[in-house]
Amino acid sequence: MKSPRNILRYVGLTFATLLLSGGVQSAFGDALTGGTAITDAAALRELDLPQATTGFSLRRMLDPGGSASANLPNDELFALPMMLPVRQAIDRDIDAYAVRHRTDLSDQSRDADNRNDLQLFDRDLLYSLRTRFALAGIVNRMDRAFVSPQTCGDIRLIYRLVRTEPRADEPVRLPMTLNVVLAAANPTDTATSRDTACAEVARRWLAMQDEAPAGAALVRRLTEADGPLSLLQPSQLIRIELNLQVGHQPTSETQAFRTDYLMKVFRYDRAAQKFDEAPLENQIDRDRILADANLKAELVKWLLEPEHLSALDHGTLLVPEKFLARSVIASTPVGFVKSNMQPEFGLVQSSNIDKRAAFRGRDVVTALKRAVESGVVFANIRSVAGFERRLNDITCAGCHQTRGIGGFHFPGADWMSPAPTTVANVPASPHFIGDQPRRRDILRAFRDGRAPDFSRGFASRPQLRGDTALLGTEYYDGWGAHCYDARVRGSADRSFQSWTCAKGLSCQVIGGADHSERMGMCFVSSSAGEYGDERRRAGLKTTRPADRAK
């Protein structure tokens, strides 16, 4: 029997191979997410049943007064008074996106005919009785307790948009997820202290790590009196989060292939019993900041303070809402080269003539030095480039652009498509899988009564936390992992110099021959066929030894 580490090595290699070539394979073992997420398709099907009093159908979560014998179709969902602000915001943002996108295309005269090729999200289908949201995963996010300590973080019920009666030529699953975010522990429960409540929730989830039931047996274990899901109730609702593929632009003479995702958050107002549009966490509103000199100066002053730089470095920064956006478009693919598709592109000065940027390089260097002198120990940000990368990957959009499956980190288990399917699905992205050792470590700290370490690495490079399971896999330093090539011209950037590849692999920069961008991926080294079949199969440009710096 394969050990969890060997399973990870195998899955990492095959996943990276197929993902880069346009496919996704399904050899996922429960060992990858044990104790932190529920991804078993058969169990999720059982939990999604509307008549299950201990289940987690969307009907029970958002419309408990409705029919207990039927699923909640989307025409009924979006007719609920609580969902009216959600529908209005979706319609407004899709309309604004379409106008902006078509205007941009029509300005390019050589490609004017292609402005009608933009494929927009089908709102009629979204609000139809022929679609609904099906439970696709349940994820423990107690690693976010630094955001909401009173609730011990949160638990996320992830639902995927699906057709209820698809034709033979129609896919069942549609590119949209809805996250129902619940408090991990009920903040109104006065029977136990917060620390005791957090410890109990963590204990119940971790107890599932070494258990191997599936389907109905897993559901019984999850929902029994001592199970992790028995503590969750609709009354613990905090907010919902939406991620939908708002538009797709096919390749043309002047346009590269591109898919855009609209991301939004709505807080639940318990008194008014409705959802209110809210800012996205740490999603700095780039365009608004750059257009407002006073707001820009205020952000710079706030963020470059030592305590805020320390929190940015550790991934625990909470940017004040006045600087944040309420909608964001995450574009894919983005790749490694800096571009306007990155959410915070332009906030950091790229040259001395760039006067519009918020953060000048020398000011960032000075602030980092001042923070070190005040006692801050940096784990990730050790340069201007590290500062800039962190600004992007703490945002919703920047994180979803990094090591995701399209624009999603958790597409979820597929239990509705008829078997066998021509496309195999995995429930989660490489970024999600790579973050599991850190999340488990935080759960153990809660369970054992220790102070959790909420810090995290860059989205491209997970923290191991003493767990060796990720070593040699595409999640960390194996084939297909993200890396930094320190062999190119100039001194190595201290923020990324630890981003190396496992033995037998080398960091292959993906981009132009001048190697202006040093980020790349781990592939077979030149001595083992650097420009052989491995790179050709991945569709990557071969880099010959003569082109590389010695």
Side-chain angles (χ1 to χ4, degrees), residues 525-544:
S525 63
S526 57
S527 61
E530 172 187 343
Y531 38 25
D533 292 340
E534 294 277 350
R535 291 179 61 76
R536 284 197 294 272
R537 279 198 296 270
L540 301 173
K541 179 181 177 181
T542 296
T543 303
R544 296 184 180 276

Side-chain angles (χ1 to χ4, degrees), residues 437-453:
R438 183 187 71 92
R439 297 185 189 182
R440 264 190 290 272
D441 180 67
I442 290 172
L443 290 183
R444 294 189 191 104
F446 273 123
R447 180 195 62 189
D448 301 339
R450 295 181 283 110
D453 174 8

Side-chain angles (χ1 to χ4, degrees), residues 80-92:
L80 295 174
M82 66 163 57
M83 294 293 290
L84 178 59
V86 178
R87 179 167 182 164
Q88 291 173 336
I90 291 175
D91 289 342
R92 181 199 68 217

Side-chain angles (χ1 to χ4, degrees), residues 97 101 105 108 110-111 114 117-118 247-260 331-335 339 341:
Y97 168 83
H101 200 95
L105 288 177
Q108 302 171 33
R110 289 187 305 154
D111 201 31
N114 285 331
D117 290 341
L118 174 66
H248 169 68
Q249 177 67 43
T251 303
S252 69
E253 289 185 5
T254 61
Q255 290 288 319
F257 168 88
R258 173 174 166 177
T259 303
D260 293 334
S331 300
T332 62
V334 174
S339 74
M341 289 193 294

